[in-house]
């Protein structure tokens, strides 16, 4: 898709400004219903597009991403643009700097259409915890787009953006990609700088692309990857063009499958995944059964480590340094006369009114698990199991090149279906959190749709790769995509 648009721009079949206008027109028509976007950045987009058109008019060569319009998840800082992370507490926050991924995309000449809706602070699997209301799944408006990068996935699915950026702490790129028929890539921890991403769980967070095709994901990854002096956990990596690895070939590639993962699955989902396995076999890949004995602890480990990091990362939202303060809430009974209030009361009330229920739940869980007396039993223990899970992967990757699993236990569920029961919502993450725990790269690729209540709903499968081996991961994903 990006390559085709690039050719059109190069051949002057369309200008970058026209292309951006086309997307804004579609957003205007469709987004009232879908609500993928929180903020549109029309002025910025037009400025960026004009610059590309001027370059073309001067007869200069343009790079692959120049003039290609995309969307940015609202937890990534874009300078001078409102950045809320879908939380009331950041309702009026204007980012004073660009995240590293944003400066890189700007340097690459990409065009930014706007900021997308998400679960508040990226906590959720449905985009329903957004303080601004839920995004709808473009394939069925009664269903969720997944989350937390639901706005980004819906924007790509509804052709309201060519590409989008998401963040993934436990599945937030891959799960919505699965629900919206898109490709979602979570790179290796350290592959992409996290500088300027509003932190959720710092040892788990990664930024990555949501796109229509694997090739497009490879193009975006090539633009955003690399070491960054502002993120000490970002790793050295040679400047690579990841599209070079998309050969369409998987002959001899060793693909691991985990039997238990398939056994408990819903019948329809299992059929789809088994067909994916068949496709790989037909392409000459070698399917190997593997075991990850500690995988069954990944969900409990995630739901200890992540809230601990959340409780620490979100301590900064006290109503003083960022965003809104308690007395921005005019509709309360509180006495906001500063003479009658203490600093502590301001902290408490800013958080009480500024943060949503799910965010508060996680701050409390994390604070509890980190408190003296419980730290050893929960946090420390979870960290130890995390190491065991990593060792499982080390062993598995001696035998196989990539691992194939479902991305999600089912296609998109209905709005409201899981909001009353947080545990049901957390179970959405059963196949995805393990990649964040181990830090390995993982991608969700659209498989065949699943017939549900008379509708065909998209469903993805997941591939996980070795640390810093996005090359083989993307190659395997692409080979399926072009041969299925
Ligand atoms: N659904 C997961 C959660 O709620 C993952 C979120 C994410 O990856 N940001 O924690």
């Amino acid at each position: 898709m990006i390559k085709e648009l690039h050719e059109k721009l190069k051949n002057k079949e369309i200008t970058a400004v026209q292309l951006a206008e086309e997307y804004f027109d579609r957003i205007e028509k469709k987004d009232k219903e879908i609500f993928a976007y929180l903020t549109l950045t029309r002025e910025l987009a037009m400025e960026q597009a004009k610059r590309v058109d001027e370059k073309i008019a001067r007869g200069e060569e343009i790079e692959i991403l120049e003039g290609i319009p995309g969307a940015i998840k609202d937890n990534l800082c874009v300078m001078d643009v409102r950045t809320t992370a879908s939380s009331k507490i950041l309702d009026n926050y204007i980012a004073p700097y660009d995240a590293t991924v944003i400066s890189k995309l700007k340097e690459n000449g990409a065009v930014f259409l706007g900021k997308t809706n998400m679960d508040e602070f990226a906590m959720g699997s449905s985009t329903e915890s957004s303080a601004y209301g839920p995004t709808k799944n473009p394939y069925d408006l009664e269903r969720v787009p997944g989350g937390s990068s639901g706005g980004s996935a819906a924007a790509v699915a509804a052709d309201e953006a060519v590409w989008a950026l998401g963040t993934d702490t436990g599945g937030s790129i891959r799960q919505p990609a699965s629900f919206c028929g898109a490709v979602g890539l979570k790179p290796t921890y350290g592959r992409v700088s996290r500088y300027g991403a509003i932190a959720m769980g710092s040892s788990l967070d990664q930024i990555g692309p949501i796109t229509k095709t694997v090739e497009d994901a490879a193009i975006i990854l090539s633009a955003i990857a690399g070491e960054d002096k502002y993120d000490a956990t970002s790793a050295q990596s040679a400047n690579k063009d990841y599209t070079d690895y998309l050969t369409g070939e998987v002959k001899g590639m060793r693909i691991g499958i985990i039997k238990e993962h398939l056994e408990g699955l819903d019948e329809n989902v299992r059929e789809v995944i088994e067909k994916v396995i068949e496709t790989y076999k037909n392409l000459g890949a070698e399917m190997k059964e593997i075991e990850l004995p500690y995988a069954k602890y990944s969900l409990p480990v995630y739901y200890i480590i992540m809230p601990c990091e959340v409780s620490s990362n979100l301590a900064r939202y006290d109503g003083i340094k960022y965003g809104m303060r308690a007395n921005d809430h005019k509709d309360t009974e509180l006495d906001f006369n500063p003479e009658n209030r203490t600093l502590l009361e301001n902290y408490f009330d800013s958080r009480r009114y500024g943060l949503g229920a799910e965010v508060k739940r996680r701050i409390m869980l994390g604070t509890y698990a980190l408190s003296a007396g419980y730290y050893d039993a929960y946090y420390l223990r979870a960290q130890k199991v995390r190491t065991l899970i990593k060792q499982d992967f080390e062993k598995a990757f001696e035998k196989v090149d990539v691992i194939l699993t479902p991305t999600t236990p089912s296609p998109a569920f209905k709005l409201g279906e899981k909001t009353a029961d947080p545990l049901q919502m957390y179970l959405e993450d059963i196949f995805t959190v393990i990649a964040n725990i181990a830090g390995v790269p993982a991608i969700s690729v659209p498989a065949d749709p699943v017939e549900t209540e008379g509708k065909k709903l998209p469903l993805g499968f997941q591939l996980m790769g070795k640390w810093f081996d996005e090359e083989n991961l993307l190659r395997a994903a692409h080979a399926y995509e072009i041969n299925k």
Side-chain angles (χ1 to χ4, degrees):
M1 183 139 184
I2 293 179
K3 274 208 174 139
E4 287 157 32
L5 291 171
H6 173 67
E7 288 302 317
K8 282 192 180 164
L9 287 168
K10 246 176 43 183
N11 301 332
K12 302 191 177 148
E13 286 168 51
I14 189 169
T15 68
V17 166
Q18 283 167 346
L19 186 60
E21 287 292 3
E22 195 185 288
Y23 275 85
F24 280 119
D25 284 351
R26 206 167 304 127
I27 292 168
E28 186 149 331
K29 271 196 215 109
K30 289 179 141 183
D31 211 47
K32 268 187 213 84
E33 263 187 333
I34 293 173
F35 194 44
Y37 284 94
L38 289 176
T39 305
L40 293 179
T41 51
R42 182 183 277 275
E43 235 174 87
L44 173 63
M46 288 305 154
E47 219 176 89
Q48 292 171 317
K50 265 193 205 128
R51 221 171 299 141
V52 176
D53 285 338
E54 282 161 14
K55 215 170 151 183
I56 297 172
R58 286 197 300 269
E60 287 173 38
E61 285 284 316
I62 54 161
E63 301 286 335
I64 185 78
L65 268 178
E66 287 187 84
I68 308 294
I72 313 289
K73 187 175 181 179
D74 207 29
N75 59 351
L76 298 169
C77 289
V78 179
M79 191 159 78
D80 296 334
V81 173
R82 180 175 177 240
T83 298
T84 67
S86 284
S87 182
K88 279 279 173 234
I89 211 160
L90 290 177
D91 190 54
N92 56 7
Y93 178 67
I94 308 286
Y97 67 103
D98 278 328
T100 297
V101 289
I102 297 300
S103 9
K104 282 182 178 253
L105 286 170
K106 281 185 175 172
E107 281 162 28
N108 277 275
V111 169
F112 298 163
L113 298 166
K115 307 292 298 289
T116 55
N117 196 19
M118 53 185 282
D119 282 297
E120 184 176 2
F121 283 108
M123 298 175 200
S125 302
S126 66
T127 318
E128 290 167 297
S129 78
S130 165
Y132 303 97
T135 299
K136 316 273 170 61
N137 190 315
Y139 284 84
D140 179 352
L141 295 174
E142 282 173 20
R143 291 177 190 268
V144 303
S148 64
S149 315
S152 287
V156 169
D159 291 316
E160 295 180 26
V162 179
W163 55 269
L165 286 188
T167 61
D168 191 311
T169 306
S172 278
I173 289 175
R174 292 159 285 155
Q175 186 255 16
S178 170
F179 282 9
C180 291
V183 172
L185 170 68
K186 180 203 89 73
T188 309
Y189 184 79
R191 173 63 83 203
V192 176
S193 165
R194 292 176 293 110
Y195 178 71
I198 294 178
M200 177 180 163
S202 302
S203 77
L204 306 153
D205 298 341
Q206 265 292 287
I207 303 167
I210 298 179
T211 52
K212 279 254 158 83
T213 67
V214 175
E215 183 181 69
D216 288 356
I219 291 172
I220 300 289
L221 179 66
S222 307
I224 62 175
E227 193 184 9
D228 178 16
K229 66 175 183 210
Y230 297 120
D231 175 2
T233 64
S234 68
Q236 252 184 346
S237 53
N239 265 343
K240 267 187 189 160
D241 180 349
Y242 288 95
T243 61
D244 289 347
Y245 303 89
L246 310 180
T247 58
E249 272 283 324
V250 284
K251 204 165 276 159
M253 190 185 251
R254 299 162 307 166
I255 302 182
I257 40 181
I258 304 161
K259 227 176 166 186
E260 300 101 274
H261 275 185
L262 296 174
E263 276 163 4
L265 276 182
D266 169 274
E267 186 94 20
N268 294 334
V269 175
R270 199 177 66 214
E271 270 173 31
V272 170
I273 303 295
E274 276 169 358
K275 240 183 104 189
V276 174
I277 295 173
E278 273 313 301
T279 306
Y280 276 116
K281 274 190 196 155
N282 294 337
L283 291 173
E286 195 186 323
M287 308 309 288
K288 282 192 160 182
E289 244 173 65
I290 56 153
E291 273 170 38
L292 298 174
Y294 288 98
K296 55 177 175 291
Y297 300 117
S298 52
L299 205 59
V301 163
Y302 174 78
Y303 276 96
I304 297 284
I305 293 176
M306 175 273 299
C308 289
E309 296 185 8
V310 160
S311 72
S312 156
N313 273 326
L314 271 67
R316 73 191 71 173
Y317 305 108
D318 55 9
I320 305 295
K321 289 191 288 290
Y322 301 96
M324 67 153 16
R325 200 163 287 187
N327 45 353
D328 291 330
H329 292 275
K330 300 287 180 255
D331 54 346
T332 67
E333 309 273 286
L334 295 176
D335 173 6
F336 285 121
N337 183 347
E339 281 166 25
N340 300 333
R341 290 173 66 77
T342 66
L343 179 64
L344 206 57
E345 279 172 327
N346 261 329
Y347 288 162
F348 287 164
D349 287 332
S350 297
R351 286 164 80 81
R352 175 177 345 157
Y353 292 106
L355 299 174
E358 183 58 32
V359 173
K360 285 179 191 156
R361 172 161 33 240
R362 295 194 193 197
I363 292 172
M364 286 191 281
L365 284 171
T367 312
Y368 180 82
L370 285 176
S371 55
Y374 293 108
Y375 179 92
D376 288 358
Y378 295 118
Y379 183 72
L380 198 62
R381 196 167 203 157
Q383 290 289 23
K384 287 181 179 166
V385 182
R386 184 175 191 176
T387 302
L388 294 171
I389 291 172
K390 277 190 201 151
Q391 288 168 353
D392 272 359
F393 274 98
E394 278 162 15
K395 277 188 214 127
F397 284 132
E398 285 169 11
K399 291 197 208 123
V400 296
D401 303 301
V402 295
I403 298 170
L404 190 158
T405 73
T407 306
T408 47
S410 71
F413 49 90
K414 294 221 169 100
L415 286 151
E417 196 178 315
K418 301 191 184 204
T419 38
D421 184 351
L423 279 181
Q424 281 303 316
M425 196 68 96
Y426 298 170
L427 279 169
E428 267 303 300
D429 309 327
I430 189 120
F431 298 121
T432 48
V433 293
I434 194 164
N436 305 74
I437 290 172
V440 296
I443 190 167
S444 181
V445 185
D448 289 338
V450 177
E451 180 99 22
T452 312
E453 293 181 9
K455 279 211 173 107
K456 288 207 158 164
L457 296 175
L459 183 79
F461 70 93
Q462 172 174 250
L463 292 170
M464 295 187 277
K466 288 182 194 162
W467 292 271
F468 296 105
D469 186 15
E470 276 82 359
E471 293 89 327
N472 274 312
L473 184 73
L474 288 162
R475 181 155 71 91
H478 174 252
Y480 171 83
E481 180 186 68
I482 63 166
N483 288 298
K484 72 163 171 181

